[in-house]
Amino acid sequence: MSTKPRVSIEYCPKCRWMMRAAWMGQELLTTFENEIGELALIPGDVAEFKVIAGNVVVWDRKETKRFPEMKELKQLVRDAIAPEKSLGHSDHKKKQEECNTCPKD
């Protein structure tokens, strides 16, 4: 049995969101191939689109009223299951460090 976390995507089949859920699942498996132990696509309730990584609900469309951008979802899943993992160009933008030699406004 794997000790790696499970990621599940619960989607509304009546809304025809299975393809979106499958695409997002494929993207997550590609990005987190060594971190995810299992990915599940779960037909759910009407208008449901929820992503759970480990034991954390990282996205719930009923709360946000929108779908996640893929970059955004990868960051949220990473923060929940592999916070040390770099996402390269999909990573959070780092704040510019303050320069001690530049004049202040």
Side-chain angles (χ1 to χ4, degrees):
M1 186 165 156
S2 177
T3 59
K4 296 178 183 177
R6 178 180 200 253
V7 174
S8 63
I9 302 175
E10 189 172 343
Y11 65 93
C12 174
K14 291 180 182 178
C15 299
R16 307 279 190 229
W17 291 343
M18 183 181 71
M19 291 300 291
R20 181 186 304 260
W23 170 70
M24 289 188 169
Q26 174 259 311
E27 285 289 318
L28 293 174
L29 283 172
T30 301
T31 300
F32 300 101
E33 62 186 343
N34 296 315
E35 292 82 15
I36 292 177
E38 174 184 2
L39 182 107
L41 299 179
I42 305 168
D45 292 331
V46 175
E48 187 80 55
F49 196 88
K50 185 184 295 184
V51 181
I52 301 171
N55 296 321
V56 179
V57 175
V58 297
W59 193 268
D60 188 343
R61 186 180 178 276
K62 287 185 177 180
E63 290 179 12
T64 62
K65 309 291 188 228
R66 65 182 182 89
F67 288 102
E69 296 293 326
M70 197 64 241
K71 175 181 175 179
E72 180 179 29
L73 184 58
K74 287 180 181 183
Q75 291 170 352
L76 293 167
V77 169
R78 184 271 316 271
D79 292 348
I81 67 169
E84 70 289 344
K85 182 177 179 70
S86 170
L87 295 176
H89 68 278
S90 290
D91 224 333
H92 295 286
K93 294 207 184 273
K94 294 185 171 41
K95 292 181 182 177
Q96 267 189 336
E97 289 185 25
E98 197 171 303
C99 179
N100 293 327
T101 58
C102 294
K104 306 290 184 228
D105 290 331

